[in-house]
Amino acid sequence: MCGIVGYVGKRDSQEILIEGLKKLEYRGYDSAGVAVYTDKGLAVKKAKGRLAVLESQLGESPLRGTIGIGHTRWATHGKPSDVNSHPHTDNSLKFSVVHNGIIENYIALKEELIAKGHRFVSETDTEVISHLIADLYDGDIVRTVQRAVKRMTGAFALGVLTEHEPEKLVAVRLASPLIIGVGEGENFIGSDIPAILEHTRNVYILNDNEMAVLTRDAVELMTIEGNFISREIFHVDWDIMTAEKAGFDHFMLKEIYEQPKAYRDTMGARLNVAGSGVELNEVKMSAEDVRGISNIHIVACGTAYHAGLVGKSVIERLARIPVETDVASEYRYRSPIIKPSTLVIVVSQSGETADTLAALREAKRHGARVIAITNVVGSSVAREADDVITTWAGPEIAVASTKAYTSQLIAFYLLGLHLAQTLGTIEAAEVAHTIAALKSLPEQVERVLEQGAAIKELAEQIATHEDLFFIGRGLDYAVAQEGSLKLKEISYIHSEAYASGELKHGTLALIEDGVPVIALATQEDLFEKTVSNIKEVKARGAYVIGIALEGDDELRKSVDQVVTIPRTLGLLTPALSVVPLQLLAYYAALARGNDVDKPRNLAKSVTVE
């Protein structure tokens, strides 16, 4: 959840650390801090609030030195405050640590250290690490960190500095992402590639239970046990400008408008030249393997889970394989029935989501094959899955996911067609027809985006309300859940999504005069039933905004306002109908004066349970 950056080299580290943290604020932004080894020893400066607060303080009183670590926080243990901010130090101020994750046994360790005379000043679990390292230090920081890590349980990525060995930066990974950037006469650590991409495109991606020792001129990789590792450098080939705003007011708006490109890139060469089939070469399952699938579990969190709800319908309709969807944080704890014939599909934008990664490992433990859908090459989920479908959405910086979600939908369409082709559950003509419709989606999204000004007006109307409802049937209900989440995430309007047919089972009690209801009516086989449900809320005074197909004049008679999407196959409408809901959420948040890209209490990459 938190962001870590570190530098060792010849340049002044403070500026590099601050610029790196700016690229990581999507991971947390309630406080920030840096530790730098200066000519007077190890110095730490940290502050509650956005990174700009710390940057201002450092501008007045800079920390000069060529090795340092930095951190931007998403609070887990202890409220946001100066003292709870990272980096944390021991009582001697000789050891400094930044940490992403949770130390589950920190209370026991803290009590042990207090008994030895250590004094703690923060409410955090991280402070325990700096004290533990100081307590165990034997003159070798690498060996000491290894011993400390073996005493800690939980999830962590660490950056460690000590004044005793000021030329070394030690990094450790266990269940929280960490990468190592390799430069010339300088090296870096970071929670994510954008933090260091300005300085190097050559990285090592640490696996769990691995660590790195960085000096100005070398990087040594090893296991936590101390066994040295040889690994090829991963070269990053995407443009840093894709992680910048490119003239848009917010990253979220930029990413909404990047969706046509993300669709094209994710489909890419996976649609063969003849246009008659899907070539999903990254899924290495033989025809015999596919025929052996008895059932499928789709496991994910948040927005990715909502993509999985659409994926369930896509796979069941096309391939006729029974599919269950599960929230990853609940999956392991319900003792799911996982057989070797079960195919498990895990979905994660970052590829580092802790709950999803744990579900993946549970599936593997039971002998199931796992396919990962993720946007990050080399992520933990990508490395541990049997097969990986990479979504080529490019970096997504805004906390509220948009293009990553819709690219996941494209991945599910491709996978559903791939399975159906292999099993022969749909005719070749239907495959070709579906592919033709898929290829039209990017241009159709562009047409939806042209309605931005009208959607902004609607958003400004609903922004004055504190309660709102989304309704829909079938795939429209799946999209309604994502639309509701987007609105909650960034506008802070209380919002709920309901299957339209469930209104009569209690929810209608919440409808009163003027309550906004967003009604999705894009499924033609359910249209008449949806209109009946709309009439139910209208009869109780709701103000209804309909999402309809172009040319649908019938819905206009039953709602107050209409936003249309181009006509496409019913199965593909989610890739279009969610776009106006994304814009609605964006403009509602803007109207309420919220920080769109960094909503309160949330972070982009959720690496803790």
Side-chain angles (χ1 to χ4, degrees):
M1 307 280 264
C2 306
I4 289 172
V5 66
Y7 173 78
V8 54
K10 302 174 183 177
R11 293 187 280 167
D12 186 49
S13 63
Q14 176 181 297
E15 183 178 348
I16 293 169
L17 296 176
I18 292 298
E19 290 305 312
L21 291 177
K22 287 178 180 178
K23 303 296 194 304
L24 295 175
E25 272 200 292
Y26 69 90
R27 301 180 65 87
Y29 36 82
D30 56 48
S31 57
V34 296
V36 174
Y37 182 72
T38 71
D39 57 4
K40 296 180 180 179
L42 199 59
V44 176
K45 186 156 290 191
K46 50 190 186 174
K48 174 186 174 182
R50 293 292 170 85
L51 185 58
V53 177
L54 175 68
E55 189 175 14
S56 175
Q57 293 181 8
L58 288 170
E60 297 173 0
S61 180
L63 302 181
R64 301 300 185 195
T66 59
I67 181 169
I69 50 178
H71 187 274
T72 182
R73 184 173 186 246
W74 184 83
T76 56
H77 293 64
K79 63 185 179 182
S81 69
D82 290 355
V83 73
N84 286 334
S85 306
H86 299 217
H88 286 283
T89 61
D90 69 307
N91 294 139
S92 71
L93 305 182
K94 303 294 186 185
F95 298 86
S96 186
V97 174
V98 288
H99 167 222
N100 174 26
I102 289 177
I103 307 303
E104 294 174 352
N105 63 333
Y106 85 99
I107 294 177
L109 291 171
K110 186 174 183 177
E111 289 173 348
E112 176 189 323
L113 290 162
I114 289 172
K116 290 183 174 184
H118 290 259
R119 303 181 313 279
F120 289 81
V121 298
S122 79
E123 304 169 89
T124 70
D125 55 342
T126 303
E127 189 184 2
V128 170
I129 304 171
S130 55
H131 285 264
L132 180 61
I133 291 172
D135 189 69
L136 295 174
Y137 186 65
D138 61 0
D140 185 328
I141 188 60
V142 177
R143 187 166 60 227
T144 300
V145 170
Q146 290 168 345
R147 291 165 59 204
V149 164
K150 290 173 185 175
R151 299 209 52 202
M152 293 156 32
T153 60
F156 45 84
L158 305 177
V160 181
L161 287 182
T162 178
E163 188 174 314
H164 297 300
E165 300 175 57
E167 77 286 355
K168 292 180 182 176
L169 168 56
V170 180
V172 187
R173 173 194 168 132
L174 177 64
S176 288
L178 200 63
I179 57 103
I180 310 298
V182 181
E184 294 184 7
E186 57 185 5
N187 294 298
F188 311 80
I189 67 172
S191 293
D192 202 354
I193 289 170
I196 64 171
L197 191 58
E198 181 181 348
H199 308 291
T200 181
R201 292 179 176 273
N202 295 323
V203 302
Y204 292 116
I205 300 171
L206 291 187
N207 296 322
D208 284 349
N209 296 303
E210 291 182 353
M211 60 187 297
V213 182
L214 289 72
T215 60
R216 176 183 296 180
D217 298 313
V219 173
E220 290 182 334
L221 304 181
M222 64 188 76
T223 67
I224 290 173
E225 300 296 329
N227 300 314
F228 288 96
I229 300 167
S230 177
R231 177 167 299 149
E232 289 187 9
I233 284 177
F234 175 74
H235 183 75
V236 181
D237 58 7
W238 43 268
D239 188 346
I240 192 171
M241 287 304 295
T242 62
E244 302 297 340
K245 290 181 184 175
F248 286 90
D249 290 337
H250 296 91
F251 281 113
M252 183 178 178
L253 187 62
K254 170 180 176 279
E255 289 155 9
I256 290 171
Y257 276 81
E258 285 176 337
Q259 286 176 120
K261 182 180 186 302
Y263 284 27
R264 293 185 182 100
D265 290 347
T266 300
M267 285 187 266
R270 291 159 173 164
L271 301 181
N272 66 31
V273 177
S276 58
V278 172
E279 295 178 353
L280 212 54
N281 297 325
E282 54 265 67
V283 176
K284 306 298 184 185
M285 300 177 71
S286 66
E288 184 178 353
D289 291 334
V290 173
R291 286 192 290 270
I293 298 170
S294 62
N295 63 313
I296 293 174
H297 294 173
I298 297 175
V299 187
C301 300
T303 286
Y305 172 74
H306 295 155
L309 294 176
V310 175
K312 168 184 167 67
S313 290
V314 169
I315 292 171
E316 287 188 337
R317 290 193 197 181
L318 295 177
R320 308 306 298 162
I321 302 172
V323 181
E324 297 177 39
T325 52
D326 258 293
V327 174
S329 58
E330 297 293 326
Y331 186 64
R332 288 177 295 158
Y333 304 111
R334 70 171 181 85
S335 298
I337 300 172
I338 307 171
K339 301 172 289 185
S341 59
T342 301
L343 175 65
V344 176
I345 303 171
V346 296
V347 192
S348 169
Q349 179 270 329
S350 68
E352 301 293 349
T353 309
D355 290 316
T356 306
L357 194 54
L360 181 157
R361 290 167 179 164
E362 179 74 1
K364 297 277 283 185
R365 189 172 70 83
H366 286 277
R369 189 183 190 104
V370 178
I371 294 177
I373 297 176
T374 182
N375 196 43
V376 181
V377 175
S379 62
S380 296
V381 161
R383 293 196 307 275
E384 295 189 29
D386 296 291
D387 308 283
V388 182
I389 303 174
T390 305
T391 55
W392 299 109
E396 189 179 66
I397 305 302
V399 167
S401 180
T402 52
K403 65 176 182 174
Y405 165 80
T406 47
S407 296
Q408 289 162 1
L409 298 187
I410 300 299
F412 272 117
Y413 293 137
L414 296 172
L415 179 59
L417 285 168
H418 172 74
L419 295 174
Q421 286 174 175
T422 305
L423 295 171
T425 49
I426 60 175
E427 298 293 330
E430 186 178 350
V431 172
H433 183 52
T434 305
I435 288 173
L438 274 171
K439 289 181 174 180
S440 296
L441 287 176
E443 182 272 333
Q444 291 179 317
V445 172
E446 289 168 353
R447 284 162 53 192
V448 175
L449 293 171
E450 290 172 0
Q451 301 178 68
I455 295 170
K456 181 180 179 182
E457 288 184 13
L458 294 175
E460 289 169 349
Q461 293 175 37
I462 68 170
T464 61
H465 293 264
E466 295 302 326
D467 298 282
L468 189 144
F469 298 94
F470 288 76
I471 61 173
R473 301 187 78 125
L475 283 169
D476 281 339
Y477 174 46
V479 176
Q481 292 178 74
E482 173 59 12
S484 178
L485 177 61
K486 280 293 145 295
L487 191 72
K488 282 183 282 197
E489 281 181 308
I490 61 172
S491 76
Y492 316 147
I493 296 172
H494 166 249
S495 172
E496 297 185 50
Y498 289 98
S500 303
E502 286 296 293
L503 290 170
K504 56 187 174 289
H505 297 295
T507 313
L508 281 172
L510 298 172
I511 303 299
E512 55 188 12
D513 280 348
V515 169
V517 174
I518 313 297
L520 288 91
T522 72
Q523 300 300 296
E524 294 185 275
D525 56 335
L526 291 165
F527 180 78
E528 292 180 357
K529 294 184 182 299
T530 301
V531 169
S532 295
N533 301 141
I534 291 170
K535 290 183 182 297
E536 290 170 357
V537 296
K538 282 293 294 177
R540 289 154 179 85
Y543 181 85
V544 181
I545 298 171
I547 308 296
L549 299 173
E550 283 180 351
D552 184 356
D553 296 325
E554 190 63 30
L555 188 67
R556 294 181 185 274
K557 301 174 184 177
S558 304
V559 300
D560 297 284
Q561 299 281 349
V562 174
V563 176
T564 62
I565 63 170
R567 288 187 174 271
T568 186
L569 300 179
L571 202 61
L572 304 187
T573 57
L576 299 176
S577 59
V578 75
V579 178
L581 304 187
Q582 294 168 344
L583 288 170
L584 200 69
Y586 170 80
Y587 285 118
L590 203 63
R592 290 165 70 94
N594 296 346
D595 188 334
V596 174
D597 288 334
K598 302 181 181 70
R600 67 189 183 198
N601 304 331
L602 300 179
K604 183 69 174 175
S605 181
V606 185
T607 56
V608 297
E609 268 197 270

